[in-house]
């Protein structure tokens, strides 16, 4: 559901960029791609590192695989070059990669923040409430909005 993916991407970017000014944002919603979204069940091998868990079909939540693109706008773009008749498509210098590593570390720290999931769900609720107000209510995430979430 494309609308649900956009809702999640908007909320994910908002949660990661929590308390950041617009010029400090690590990435924007358009940089987020949901690769996979599925129910998270007790029988998943990732649960507690064990392949079999009591209540194997019980749905515990949702599991997402998400990628976020980051970009160094200050990277030096080399002039077109060829070596042995083959065009060089890219070159990377430490000065180009260091800002990307810094951004990746900041993203990692945000994802590790104790209240990250709460921020994500709150951002999703806010976006969903705006959609409802505009008459565009379609949610693929009803279970995360239940009480106790």
């Amino acid at each position: 559901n494309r609308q649900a993916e956009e809702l999640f991407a908007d909320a994910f970017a908002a949660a990661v960029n929590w308390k950041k000014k617009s010029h400090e944002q690590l990435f924007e919603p358009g940089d987020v791609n949901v690769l996979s979204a599925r129910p998270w069940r007790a029988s998943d091998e990732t649960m507690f590192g064990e392949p079999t868990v009591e209540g194997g079909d019980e749905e515990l939540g949702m599991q997402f695989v998400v990628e976020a693109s980051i970009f160094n706008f200050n990277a030096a773009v080399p002039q077109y070059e060829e070596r042995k008749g083959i065009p060089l498509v890219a070159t990377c210098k430490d000065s180009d990669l260091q800002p990307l590593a810094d951004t990746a570390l900041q993203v990692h720290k945000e994802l590790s923040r104790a209240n990250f999931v709460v921020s994500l769900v709150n951002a999703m609720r806010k976006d969903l409430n705006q959609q409802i107000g505009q008459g565009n209510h379609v949610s693929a995430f009803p279970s995360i909005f239940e009480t106790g979430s």
Side-chain angles (χ1 to χ4, degrees), residues 3 7 124-138:
Q3 187 178 11
L7 174 85
M124 290 175 70
R125 278 189 181 128
K126 180 181 174 190
D127 289 349
L128 186 60
N129 288 337
Q130 287 174 348
Q131 288 181 6
I132 291 170
Q134 297 168 357
N136 298 327
H137 174 58
V138 175

Side-chain angles (χ1 to χ4, degrees), residues 2 27 33 36 38 49 55 61 70 76-77 85 89 94 100 105 108 113 120 131 134-136 140 146:
R2 186 70 191 147
F27 54 82
N33 187 16
S36 172
R38 65 185 190 94
I70 56 176
V77 179
V89 289
D94 289 347
L100 296 173
L105 179 60
H108 176 74
R113 185 170 31 95
L120 175 63
Q131 288 181 6
Q134 297 168 357
N136 298 327
E146 293 174 0

